[in-house]
Amino acid sequence: MSTPIQLRPDETFILNVGPQHPATHGVLRVKMEMDGEYIVKSETVLGYIHRMHEKMGENRTYAQYLPNLSRLDYLGALGYTHGHVLAIERAAGIEVPERAEYIRAITVELNRVASHLFWFGAFVMDLGGFSPLMYAIQDREHILDMLEAVTGARLTYCYYRFGGLYNDIDDDFIEAAKRFIPRMRKSLKKYAALVTGNIIFQKRLEGIAPVSAEMCRKYGATGPVARGSGINFDVRKNEPYSVYPEFDFDVPVYHECDSMARYKVRMDEMEQSLRIIEQGLEKLPGGPIMAEKKPKNIKLPVGDFYQAVETARGSFGIRIVSDGDKNAYRLKLRSPTYSNMHLFDEACEGMLIMDALAFMGSLDLVIPEMDR
Amino acid sequence: MGGYFSDIFNGSKSLLIGMGITFREFFKPTVTVQYPYQTLKMSARFRGHIELIADEEGNPKCVACGMCQRACPSGCISLDSVSVDIEVDGKVKKKKVLSKYDLDFTKCSLCGQCVENCNFGAIDFSKEYNLASTRKEDFHFNLLKRLEERNA
């Protein structure tokens, strides 16, 4: 005769979320110690899609490393390439024509809107709503078509070059971008009515998953996660690069620290990006798109170079240590989601699992960028 | 208590607004393309795999300098040349002629460095994107042979 299993009242079990799970948006594994529906402890396991991008940077020339940067974050690839080319240009002392910088800013902001749109759709889908994903993808498609016509690719752009751009934008692009802005503004209103105003959506996010400003500083969280916790930090404003000082835009900051605040920051950021694109198209100067004086084989002087840029997910930094050769001695990538993910373990203690998955969505994770 | 009832009222209202929006989407034109029955035209700058370009006589423009091979980050191009004697104005000169140009598309990341580094305009992107196979060998392209087939 078998004895019935006796469960201790304080007994916990381990729940594996991922590495193959729709809510993790990639190959991320989270080991959760559960007490019923509540999380006692969680442990993030990274490295399932580690591709040694930093090491690749050491054994390729700087120009050969360009395609790698678009493969970090497949949703907002241009921002990462921008950081790389800016770092090299500053280190090698290459003057970039103004037109090229304006086009860079316009395309980066378009890419940011595309990235936030996809996040928006996926986030609402994590919470159980499917239609917003379809509407978001429909809007994002316009941006991808525009960028494809200019860069030749839909996701892995590889568009910027040291000293300028691969090719110039044409009138079709400018026309399409001008058509897109009012269309997108209309869509944002639609999303506000459809999703932000929805009672179920509000109840699942408001007051859920508080991340204090102190915790953000402790783990180095940046981007919309930090701005949703009341930290007014945006690399575009605080350490201006490119032509961003010439644009008039606001940095949305919310002080509620909850998942809703992070959601609202991104929704407002889309509007601000549209403002930047609008101004960029208006001010777009003529002239060349490539620097005249540019060494054919780029060799950096001996030294240590760092460049931070604001990508869709936060502050991305690239550090290049050069020994004067044509490839880097050491190349370090500081990726924003890597830091943002690390506050998850501490913040989700004692949380319901459903809320924790909504919280994970609000962090806007892109796993290849985290693992590099 | 008042908050409770206003929550119910506002909540139901927000749900009806949402349903109204999704209902209106019903009557909007379809935007999806029914692939493979319908296909899209690739944009002019679309980066497919590379293809050799021929001159007026149908020979490859390539002079086998090997710039593309050196520029490639993934090492997917391998080319070779032979030296042949040709007669120019009664004098016999040696000329390098391309004898092999292989592309290992399994490694290619479509960055376009090869096309950019070519000083002779001898390679360009194809517009092909319907590339699917279960065999690795199908992605080892012999570009010289492909050029001959296009000429024929």
Side-chain angles (χ1 to χ4, degrees):
Chain A
M1 207 181 102
S2 61
T3 44
I5 302 160
Q6 291 289 315
L7 283 174
R8 291 204 323 274
D10 61 337
E11 196 157 52
T12 58
F13 64 94
I14 301 285
L15 180 73
N16 256 312
V17 182
Q20 303 280 342
H21 190 276
T24 57
H25 301 276
V27 277
L28 170 74
R29 179 176 169 218
V30 186
K31 242 164 82 183
M32 288 175 177
E33 195 183 334
M34 304 291 297
D35 179 11
E37 288 261 297
Y38 290 91
I39 297 165
V40 180
K41 216 174 138 243
S42 119
E43 193 191 328
T44 315
V45 186
L46 301 177
Y48 283 93
I49 192 165
H50 181 56
R51 291 150 300 165
M52 294 168 282
H53 273 306
E54 291 180 4
K55 196 72 197 167
M56 277 192 222
E58 291 166 24
N59 52 35
R60 291 166 173 217
T61 64
Y62 296 113
Q64 282 181 336
Y65 191 56
L66 272 170
N68 284 54
L69 270 300
S70 344
R71 274 141 184 100
L72 294 180
D73 178 354
Y74 48 80
L75 293 178
L78 282 173
Y80 294 79
T81 330
H82 198 189
H84 182 224
V85 293
L86 282 174
I88 303 281
E89 278 156 9
R90 210 173 56 173
I94 302 169
E95 282 279 329
V96 187
E98 213 184 8
R99 183 178 170 84
E101 276 297 359
Y102 267 92
I103 296 173
R104 281 180 188 178
I106 292 166
T107 43
V108 162
E109 293 308 319
L110 274 174
N111 205 200
R112 190 191 310 276
V113 176
S115 168
H116 281 355
L117 271 174
F118 198 81
W119 161 82
F120 163 78
F123 180 50
V124 182
M125 199 173 72
D126 283 350
L127 298 168
F130 189 71
S131 309
L133 175 73
M134 291 290 121
Y135 305 156
I137 284 182
Q138 193 185 334
D139 283 334
R140 177 170 168 266
E141 195 64 23
H142 288 266
I143 303 179
L144 293 193
D145 282 346
M146 263 188 266
L147 290 177
E148 189 195 358
V150 168
T151 66
R154 292 174 74 79
L155 286 177
T156 50
Y157 301 109
C158 195
Y159 179 46
Y160 306 146
R161 294 288 181 272
F162 307 127
L165 303 166
Y166 183 36
N167 40 32
D168 204 351
I169 58 171
D170 47 15
D171 291 340
D172 289 347
F173 176 85
I174 295 171
E175 277 302 306
K178 277 181 180 161
R179 269 203 312 275
F180 173 74
I181 292 165
R183 190 202 143 85
M184 188 63 214
R185 289 212 166 110
K186 225 171 114 190
S187 288
L188 283 174
K189 279 201 193 95
K190 183 168 85 181
Y191 299 151
L194 176 66
V195 177
T196 319
N198 188 296
I199 182 88
I200 304 166
F201 187 76
Q202 285 172 357
K203 293 279 176 197
R204 287 213 47 194
L205 297 185
E206 272 171 5
I208 303 294
V211 175
S212 64
E214 199 187 324
M215 204 194 277
C216 283
R217 288 198 186 96
K218 187 171 149 193
Y219 288 101
T222 46
V225 177
R227 288 195 284 277
S229 300
I231 300 174
N232 188 355
F233 179 79
D234 188 317
V235 185
R236 289 174 294 175
K237 283 270 186 202
N238 294 60
E239 298 161 24
Y241 55 92
S242 189
V243 283
Y244 281 108
E246 283 162 47
F247 295 127
D248 174 33
F249 66 100
D250 303 320
V251 178
V253 178
Y254 284 83
H255 295 269
E256 287 84 10
C257 305
D258 54 1
S259 294
M260 195 63 171
R262 291 186 279 278
Y263 167 83
K264 280 181 180 162
V265 167
R266 292 205 182 85
M267 296 313 271
D268 290 2
E269 260 183 27
M270 280 198 250
E271 170 56 36
Q272 297 305 323
S273 289
L274 291 180
R275 274 179 70 191
I276 296 177
I277 298 164
E278 215 169 27
Q279 293 169 42
L281 290 172
E282 215 169 85
K283 290 182 185 172
L284 187 70
I289 54 152
M290 202 67 190
E292 274 167 24
K293 267 189 265 167
K294 199 192 88 156
K296 202 156 169 35
N297 291 314
I298 287 183
K299 278 185 187 178
L300 297 196
V302 180
D304 196 340
F305 308 98
Y306 185 80
Q307 175 71 46
V309 286
E310 185 76 21
T311 65
R313 269 150 206 88
S315 159
F316 166 71
I318 180 162
R319 180 181 172 188
I320 301 168
V321 182
S322 165
D323 57 356
D325 208 353
K326 59 184 189 307
N327 42 11
Y329 174 73
R330 173 79 172 94
L331 199 139
K332 162 89 182 122
L333 306 167
R334 184 235 180 259
S335 66
T337 36
Y338 184 76
S339 305
N340 293 357
M341 184 67 212
H342 278 283
L343 52 78
F344 180 80
D345 288 346
E346 192 184 317
C348 76
E349 272 174 30
M351 214 186 268
L352 275 167
I353 180 140
M354 298 306 282
D355 291 341
L357 290 182
F359 172 41
M360 200 191 273
S362 79
L363 291 176
D364 192 8
L365 302 175
V366 166
I367 316 300
E369 188 246 25
M370 198 189 297
D371 282 346
R372 301 191 290 285
Chain B
M1 203 62 185
Y4 178 76
F5 285 111
S6 71
D7 245 20
I8 292 178
F9 178 73
N10 290 331
S12 321
K13 203 177 126 194
S14 79
L15 294 181
L16 287 176
I17 291 171
M19 280 180 207
I21 290 169
T22 44
F23 187 70
R24 274 199 293 276
E25 290 288 326
F26 261 127
F27 304 104
K28 291 206 177 146
T30 318
V31 288
T32 42
V33 174
Q34 299 297 328
Y35 184 81
Y37 307 107
Q38 293 171 304
T39 47
L40 293 172
K41 202 176 167 289
M42 288 296 111
S43 62
R45 285 172 184 174
F46 176 77
R47 297 201 302 263
H49 69 78
I50 53 168
E51 206 72 271
L52 285 172
I53 294 180
D55 57 13
E56 296 86 39
E57 289 149 33
N59 296 320
K61 271 187 181 178
C62 180
V63 296
C65 64
M67 280 300 281
C68 47
Q69 196 176 8
R70 274 194 297 272
C72 181
S74 323
C76 52
I77 298 170
S78 65
L79 53 88
D80 216 345
S81 62
V82 284
S83 161
V84 286
D85 297 329
I86 50 160
E87 258 192 43
V88 182
D89 306 330
K91 284 178 193 165
V92 178
K93 273 187 176 176
K94 278 201 184 304
K95 198 193 167 200
K96 254 164 90 180
V97 171
L98 189 69
S99 64
K100 176 191 136 189
Y101 198 108
D102 286 350
L103 171 71
D104 184 357
F105 195 54
T106 54
K107 292 182 193 165
C108 178
S109 59
L110 296 169
C111 63
Q113 299 274 347
C114 45
V115 177
E116 209 175 332
N117 276 282
C118 183
N119 295 326
F120 302 91
I123 41 178
D124 200 4
F125 304 112
S126 71
K127 299 279 170 284
E128 221 167 299
Y129 63 94
N130 279 319
L131 294 161
S133 173
T134 49
R135 292 189 320 141
K136 211 173 173 181
E137 297 76 54
D138 290 349
F139 298 103
H140 294 281
F141 298 136
N142 185 346
L143 294 190
L144 261 180
K145 207 172 137 204
R146 284 174 75 95
L147 181 71
E148 278 164 24
E149 278 165 15
R150 267 187 300 150
N151 283 343

